[in-house]
């Protein structure tokens, strides 16, 4: 049971809450009534606005449609007026542009091309809309006149501003091939930049609007002439300077000149300076052609449309290229004539030229890429001709060394080195500068069978170049050995001209020694050793053999004073007449023989100081020793009443006499 006091309190609490809820409910009812009233008012307002909006729409739409129609009509009128003005302007084009066209584009190309564009549009308009109107003929004639003026301007710009490249600039351009500092590369400006831009604009207009290709012929003719004249000018520059300090020197890049290709080559004995200049000039002209042609192609790509560039370039370079090829053919022809008259030093002109052509061929091929096959084949044909004539020169030289008929005439009376020997060695030494070229000459003529150089049929393409180099070197080594063998045979034959075997031996000694020393002083000995390992030893044996042969010439002198067949006597015993006579004969025979040999052999020559001293000393030792022993034994013997008549020389005097052998100045 809840106590009465607690229940009474609970009731009062509930009654209070109930009263509060009733007050809340009453508030909610009042709020709903106000909300309903506001809603009714809003609906009433919206209904009124909708009604007014419908009335406004009904009034505005007709006005809008009418305004839109008026605007459309206005636009049509404006377009019509604009079209009319445009059409009328075409009728004024001829009169507006005639003066400009008549005066030409010189000095105002931009304005001129603008006028030509107007004329072009007028022509198109009348062709499409009024093909029978006289205005069409008028603007057509004006257009043709304008096009002709542009063609003339193109020719004039190219003619007036295309200059021959000076020899000095060409030399600097060539010398730049070997420079490490590429930042100073010589750049050719064939046309001033402003002129070049005008030429480019005219060429593009002529192609796009003028439908004209004649200007391309004008371009290549003018540039071809400049290229040809530039190369000829370089050649003439060499000729003019050949009588001064050698090959022309270019001051444009000081202190940077290299050995190739602008430095004058070392002068070769037996070579004409004129030939050196001509050879050097031709080599420079070949390099100049490559560099100038490359530059011409760069210029051409800016001016000539792409699909016409190769053909135009082919035509452009023909004159200069044909000039080079013709001159090369003349060199081959001159070499052929030189071979016929056995003037082999002159044939050497071909070697540096051929080497340079082969070195330059990759650049040639690159420059001529895209040209006609006939153009590309010109250089390879010239190279083949030079290789052929070079190989013939080598073979004929070897045969000439073997068959040189000069046996009785022009033989050195003093037994010194024969001119044939010195010429042969000089020729071979000069080949050292062109080892690869000479080897390739021999290889190009398929001389492997001749020289017994086997070619491996299993040779792969990857090692073909290496094998070719090895074969060429072996061919050249075998060739040099062949020349030396032919020379040795000829020298043996020539030596028989001498009646005195001792002089013959001195002659062979001198020539063999000269050959050996010359081989040793150059790379020839290494080249010979490629196919003949014992060549050096063989020459030394030949030299020693000739020394021994020479020494035998003194046997007839020393035989008089050797102990053989000399009388044996006892000291204090008087000699018999026969014994005294024998001693007299021995002294006389020795004296006469010594005097005769010294007189004869003093006029002989041994150019090699070391060999001369060696031979003298060896002979002096033998003779002095033999004579000293003889004099010691019989000098004090009373074999004559006039000993000074027979004992004419002391031992030292004999030595002095031998020391004066092979010395015409003694």
């Amino acid at each position: 049971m809840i106590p009465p006091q607690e229940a009474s309190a609970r009731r009062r609490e509930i009654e209070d809450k109930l009263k509060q809820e009733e007050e809340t409910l009453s508030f909610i009812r009042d709020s709903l009534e106000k909300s309903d009233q506001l809603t009714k008012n809003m609906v009433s307002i919206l209904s009124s606005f909708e009604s007014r909006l419908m009335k406004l729409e009904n009034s505005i739409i007709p006005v809008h449609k009418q305004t839109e129609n008026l605007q459309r009509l206005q636009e049509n009128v404006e377009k019509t007026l604009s079209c009319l003005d445009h059409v009328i302007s075409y009728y004024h084009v001829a009169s507006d542009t005639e003066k400009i066209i008549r005066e030409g584009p010189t000095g105002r190309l931009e304005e001129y091309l603008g006028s030509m564009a107007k004329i072009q549009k007028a022509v198109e308009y009348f062709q499409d809309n009024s093909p029978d109107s006289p205005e069409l003929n008028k603007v057509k004639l004006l257009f043709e006149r304008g096009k002709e003026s542009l063609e003339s301007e193109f020719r004039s710009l190219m003619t007036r501003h295309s200059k021959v490249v000076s020899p000095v600039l060409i030399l600097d351009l060539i010398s730049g091939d070997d420079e490490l500092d590429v930042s100073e590369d010589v750049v050719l400006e064939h046309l001033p930049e402003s002129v070049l831009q005008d030429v480019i604009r005219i060429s593009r207009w002529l192609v796009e609007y003028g439908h004209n290709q004649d200007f391309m012929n004008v371009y290549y003719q003018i540039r071809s002439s400049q290229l040809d004249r530039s190369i000829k000018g370089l050649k003439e520059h060499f000729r003019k300077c050949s009588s001064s300090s050698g090959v022309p020197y270019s001051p444009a890049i000081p202190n940077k000149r290299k050995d190739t290709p602008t430095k004058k080559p070392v002068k070769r004995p037996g070579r004409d300076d004129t030939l050196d200049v001509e050879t050097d000039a031709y080599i420079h002209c070949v390099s100049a052609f490559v560099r100038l042609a490359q530059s011409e192609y760069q210029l051409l790509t800016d001016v000539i449309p792409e699909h016409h560039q190769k053909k135009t370039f082919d035509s452009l370079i023909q004159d200069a290229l044909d000039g080079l090829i013709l001159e090369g053919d003349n060199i081959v022809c001159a070499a052929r004539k030189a071979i016929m008259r056995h003037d082999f030093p002159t044939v050497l002109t071909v070697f540096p030229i051929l080497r340079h052509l082969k070195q330059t061929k990759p650049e040639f091929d690159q420059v001529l890429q895209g040209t006609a096959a006939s153009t590309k084949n010109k250089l390879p044909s010239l190279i083949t001709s030079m290789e052929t004539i070079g190989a013939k020169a080598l073979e004929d030289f070897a045969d000439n060394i073997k068959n040189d008929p000069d046996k009785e005439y022009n033989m050195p009376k003093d037994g010194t080195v024969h001119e044939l020997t010195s010429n042969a060695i000089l020729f071979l030494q000069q080949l050292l500068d062109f080892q690869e070229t000479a080897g390739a000459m021999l290889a190009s003529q398929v001389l492997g069978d001749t020289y017994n150089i086997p070619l491996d049929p299993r040779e792969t393409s990857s090692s073909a170049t290496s094998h070719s180099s090895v074969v060429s070197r072996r061919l050249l080594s075998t060739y040099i050995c062949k020349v030396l063998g032919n020379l040795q045979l000829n020298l043996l034959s020539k030596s028989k001209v001498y009646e005195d075997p001792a002089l013959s031996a001195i002659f062979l000694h001198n020539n063999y020694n000269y050959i050996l020393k010359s081989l040793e002083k150059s790379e020839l000995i290494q080249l010979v050793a490629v196919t003949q390992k014992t060549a050096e030893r063989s020459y030394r044996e030949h030299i020693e053999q000739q020394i021994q042969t020479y020494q035998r010439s003194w046997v007839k002198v020393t035989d008089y004073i050797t102990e053989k067949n000399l009388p044996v006597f006892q000291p204090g015993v008087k000699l018999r007449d026969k014994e005294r006579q024998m001693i007299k004969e021995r002294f006389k025979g020795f004296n006469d023989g010594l005097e005769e040999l010294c007189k004869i052999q003093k006029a002989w020559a041994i150019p090699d100081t070391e060999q001369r001293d060696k031979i003298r000393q060896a002979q002096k030792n033998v003779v002095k020793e033999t004579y000293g022993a003889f004099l010691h034994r019989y000098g004090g013997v009373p074999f004559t009443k006039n000993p000074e008549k027979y004992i004419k020389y002391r031992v030292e005097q004999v030595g002095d006499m031998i020391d004066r052998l092979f010395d015409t100045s003694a």
Side-chain angles (χ1 to χ4, degrees), residues 218-345:
V218 171
Y219 178 88
Y220 91 70
Q221 289 168 0
I222 293 174
R223 294 309 308 169
S224 174
S225 174
Q226 300 304 322
L227 174 61
D228 190 41
R229 289 170 60 195
S230 296
I231 294 176
K232 288 179 178 177
L234 177 64
K235 183 177 179 181
E236 186 62 28
H237 187 58
F238 270 81
R239 289 176 175 171
K240 288 181 179 178
C241 296
S242 62
S243 59
S244 57
S245 59
V247 172
Y249 174 78
S250 166
I253 303 181
N255 301 324
K256 294 190 74 176
R257 194 70 52 226
K258 300 243 176 183
D259 287 348
T260 57
T262 56
K263 184 178 179 182
K264 183 176 177 65
V266 177
K267 186 180 184 303
R268 303 290 190 184
R271 290 281 305 281
D272 189 345
D273 280 344
T274 304
L275 289 177
D276 282 335
V277 172
E278 291 296 325
T279 300
D280 222 30
Y282 185 74
I283 288 174
H284 278 73
C285 287
V286 170
S287 295
F289 173 81
V290 173
R291 291 290 167 262
L292 293 177
Q294 289 172 339
S295 182
E296 287 292 345
Y297 190 77
Q298 289 299 116
L299 178 66
L300 177 143
T301 55
D302 292 330
V303 180
I304 305 299
E306 184 176 359
H307 55 288
H308 292 285
Q309 290 173 1
K310 296 295 184 182
K311 182 179 179 182
T312 304
F313 180 70
D314 196 343
S315 301
L316 189 156
I317 62 173
Q318 284 303 315
D319 286 349
L321 180 58
D322 286 345
L324 285 178
I325 299 301
L326 177 60
E327 191 170 351
D329 289 338
N330 290 339
I331 291 170
V332 172
C333 183
R336 186 175 292 110
K337 293 178 180 178
I339 292 173
M340 293 176 64
R341 61 177 184 270
H342 294 167
D343 181 11
F344 296 103

Side-chain angles (χ1 to χ4, degrees), residues 585-618:
E585 290 176 356
R586 292 292 186 265
F587 269 107
K588 186 177 187 306
F590 172 79
N591 293 334
D592 292 346
L594 175 67
E595 292 168 356
E596 180 184 5
L597 281 186
C598 287
K599 180 181 178 181
I600 293 173
Q601 295 184 8
K602 186 179 76 168
W604 296 354
I606 299 180
D608 189 322
T609 304
E610 181 181 351
Q611 286 290 310
R612 183 169 65 238
D613 292 343
K614 174 185 174 182
I615 292 173
R616 281 175 177 170
Q617 189 62 43

Side-chain angles (χ1 to χ4, degrees), residues 91 98 197 244 258 278 336 440 469 489 584 600 603:
Y91 286 85
E98 185 174 6
Q197 293 306 316
S244 57
K258 300 243 176 183
E278 291 296 325
R336 186 175 292 110
S469 177
L489 290 174
K584 290 178 182 179
I600 293 173

